């Protein structure tokens, strides 16, 4: 297993050392050989200033015959800056190999990069937020899917978690061993459309996808994403299931509407077979987001299933991207065809 920092460099900061130690111990208890990529521990400032180093780590991880799984450290907000170092001379296409790639949040952009070169990936968990959970063990629901991916190389089905947790506000050493506040979960919620629909899943964090079309965060994000054709073509979305979830920034409803409208302008809502949406962190703005999605899509026949335990709200499952899925909201399950990846342990 290779741990990479493709967005933020928190992994290498002193304030995260206690979390890293927890995560490494847990991974080694699985009998895994764990390595950090060459630049993964160089901290926030270095990685912010050197996107080429982050790109190099990804290329090297794919080229390493001893690496079966690439695990992202955490998200961030500027992994789009890797594009020139991965696509200018087809570097990623030449390097990519059949390995498990797991991450979420800003890693949405990396998933789209890998989709572009034909690799199916896994969305929903990362090293620091999940493996390094400050409780005495990984959250049980999260751990179940992480272990399934480790042991089988795939995820066969997803069912709702019985509970959801409030996000921590303290990640310091004083929080070691502390429990999260817990609430009963309501399960998958069908907002509209048929309760059963099918297709390959593609998507991720809506804020990251919005940066592909909007320069509010970075003045060159749109230019680079357009230059390297990062967003899948309209034809590529035919029959797919769109995955959407929101980040810890918890965008106000007005901003969420802007992001949903930006996606609508691409025409994908007219091509997809349905939509699955992750629970917002702490369920903030959940009702408003639901209403906005139904208004913006403006198609009551388009299935939308809400409250999938994926993305920034805990606990987190893992969703295979690019694998044919059947969503059955009535039976509260999403099933996947076997992906065929090699197991790790």
């Amino acid at each position: 297993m290779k741990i990479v920092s493709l967005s933020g460099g928190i992994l290498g900061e002193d304030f995260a050392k206690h979390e890293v130690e927890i995560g490494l111990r847990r991974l080694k208890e699985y009998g895994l050989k764990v390595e950090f990529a060459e630049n993964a521990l160089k901290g926030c400032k270095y990685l912010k200033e050197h996107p080429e180093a982050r790109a190099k780590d990804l290329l090297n991880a794919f080229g390493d015959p001893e690496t079966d799984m690439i695990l992202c450290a955490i998200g961030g907000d500027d992994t789009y800056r890797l594009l020139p170092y991965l696509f200018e001379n087809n570097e990623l296409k030449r390097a990519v190999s059949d390995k498990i790639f797991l991450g979420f949040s800003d890693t949405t952009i990396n998933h789209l990069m890998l989709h572009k070169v034909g690799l199916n990936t896994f969305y929903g968990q990362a090293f620091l937020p999940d493996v390094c959970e400050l409780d005495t063990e990984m959250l049980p629901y999260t751990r179940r899917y992480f272990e399934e991916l480790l042991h089988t190389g795939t995820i066969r089905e997803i069912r709702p978690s019985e509970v959801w947790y409030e996000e921590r506000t303290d990640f310091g050493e004083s929080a070691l061993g502390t429990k999260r506040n817990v609430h009963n979960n309501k399960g998958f919620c069908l907002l509209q459309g048929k309760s059963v629909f099918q297709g390959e899943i593609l998507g991720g964090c809506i804020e990251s996808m919005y940066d592909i079309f909007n320069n509010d965060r970075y003045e060159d994000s749109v230019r680079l994403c357009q230059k390297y054709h990062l967003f899948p073509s309209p034809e590529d979305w035919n029959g797919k299931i769109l995955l959407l979830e929101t980040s810890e920034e918890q965008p106000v409803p007005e901003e969420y509407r802007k992001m949903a409208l930006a996606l609508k302008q691409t025409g994908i809502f007219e091509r997809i077979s349905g939509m699955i949406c992750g629970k917002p962190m702490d369920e903030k703005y959940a009702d408003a987001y639901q209403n906005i999605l139904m208004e913006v899509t403006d198609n009551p026949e388009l299935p939308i299933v809400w409250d999938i335990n994926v993305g920034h709200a805990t606990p987190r499952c893992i969703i295979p991207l690019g694998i044919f899925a059947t969503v059955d909201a009535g039976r509260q399950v999403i099933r996947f065809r076997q992906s065929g990846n090699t197991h790790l342990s």
Side-chain angles (χ1 to χ4, degrees):
M1 174 184 289
K2 189 88 71 177
I3 300 175
V4 295
S5 296
L6 303 180
S7 296
I10 292 174
L11 191 68
E13 298 295 331
D14 287 343
F15 61 75
K17 283 185 175 179
H18 61 288
E19 296 179 85
V20 174
E21 290 173 0
I22 292 170
L24 281 177
R25 172 175 53 79
R26 288 175 179 158
L27 291 178
K28 290 177 179 177
E29 286 174 354
Y30 287 117
L32 301 173
K33 178 183 177 183
V34 182
E35 295 181 350
F36 292 106
E38 177 184 353
N39 298 290
L41 296 173
K42 291 188 177 178
C44 294
K45 184 176 185 297
Y46 180 86
L47 291 182
K48 189 76 171 178
E49 295 174 352
H50 294 280
E52 77 283 358
R54 292 181 264 161
K56 177 184 176 183
D57 282 351
L58 182 61
L59 296 173
N60 288 345
F62 275 115
D64 182 357
E66 295 187 2
T67 296
D68 294 314
M69 177 176 181
I70 302 171
L71 176 62
C72 291
I74 196 169
D77 62 14
D78 76 340
T79 199
Y80 78 91
R81 295 173 62 210
L82 277 59
L83 280 164
Y85 309 101
L86 298 176
F87 288 95
E88 187 63 31
N89 296 297
N90 291 320
E91 292 90 345
L92 185 59
K93 185 175 183 178
R94 294 199 309 268
V96 75
S97 55
D98 189 17
K99 302 181 189 297
I100 294 171
F101 179 89
L102 175 62
F104 74 104
S105 191
D106 188 44
T107 305
T108 296
I109 301 299
N110 304 122
H111 286 291
L112 292 177
M113 293 174 179
L114 292 166
H115 172 76
K116 187 175 173 65
V117 296
L119 183 70
N120 297 331
T121 56
F122 295 87
Y123 190 93
Q125 297 183 11
F127 178 63
L128 277 172
D130 294 294
V131 182
C132 303
E133 162 62 37
L134 294 177
D135 202 342
T136 54
E137 61 179 6
M138 289 177 66
L139 300 177
Y141 180 87
T142 300
R143 186 182 67 239
R144 183 206 319 167
Y145 289 100
F146 186 70
E147 289 179 349
E148 180 180 357
L149 185 59
L150 288 182
H151 296 153
T152 72
T154 192
I155 300 295
R156 289 178 172 80
E157 67 176 33
I158 293 167
R159 294 183 181 272
S161 171
E162 294 182 357
V163 298
W164 66 271
Y165 305 90
E166 294 178 22
E167 188 49 79
R168 293 182 180 276
T169 57
D170 180 5
F171 291 87
E173 290 189 63
S174 61
L176 285 170
T178 60
K179 304 288 184 184
R180 292 174 181 247
N181 293 328
V182 62
H183 302 268
N184 290 329
N185 206 24
K186 298 184 289 288
F188 302 159
C189 175
L190 180 67
L191 300 185
Q192 63 176 37
K194 294 180 179 179
S195 63
V196 180
F197 52 100
Q198 297 178 317
E200 297 175 0
I201 298 175
L202 185 61
C205 181
I206 191 171
E207 290 99 321
S208 295
M209 287 191 281
Y210 185 54
D211 289 343
I212 298 174
F213 311 105
N214 180 273
N215 284 327
D216 285 353
R217 195 188 304 267
Y218 289 104
E219 64 180 13
D220 62 344
S221 65
V222 174
R223 177 181 62 82
L224 285 177
C225 291
Q226 287 181 346
K227 178 178 179 180
Y228 297 103
H229 307 287
L230 179 65
F231 196 73
S233 69
E235 295 74 21
D236 199 358
W237 287 99
N238 286 342
K240 285 191 167 57
I241 297 171
L242 174 62
L243 165 65
L244 288 181
E245 58 101 4
T246 48
S247 78
E248 77 283 358
E249 294 177 354
Q250 298 174 309
V252 297
E254 293 79 7
E255 285 299 310
Y256 188 84
R257 182 180 296 276
K258 289 180 184 178
M259 293 185 281
L261 284 170
L263 288 175
K264 182 175 185 174
Q265 289 171 3
T266 69
I268 65 173
F269 293 157
E270 299 171 4
R271 295 177 176 270
I272 59 176
S273 64
M275 193 182 306
I276 57 173
C277 302
K279 180 190 290 291
M281 183 182 288
D282 296 336
E283 292 195 334
K284 190 171 183 179
Y285 301 130
D287 290 343
Y289 292 168
Q290 292 174 23
N291 290 331
I292 289 168
L293 269 188
M294 290 188 287
E295 290 171 10
V296 170
T297 54
D298 192 26
N299 178 8
E301 300 301 315
L302 179 67
I304 301 177
V305 174
W306 192 264
D307 262 357
I308 309 297
N309 300 109
V310 68
H312 286 77
T314 50
R316 287 182 267 266
C317 68
I318 294 172
I319 291 183
L321 302 181
I323 304 299
F324 190 83
T326 299
V327 179
D328 189 333
R331 291 185 169 85
Q332 295 282 286
V333 63
I334 304 174
R335 292 192 172 94
F336 302 91
R337 288 181 183 168
Q338 194 164 340
S339 64
N341 283 314
T342 303
H343 66 83
L344 290 155
S345 60

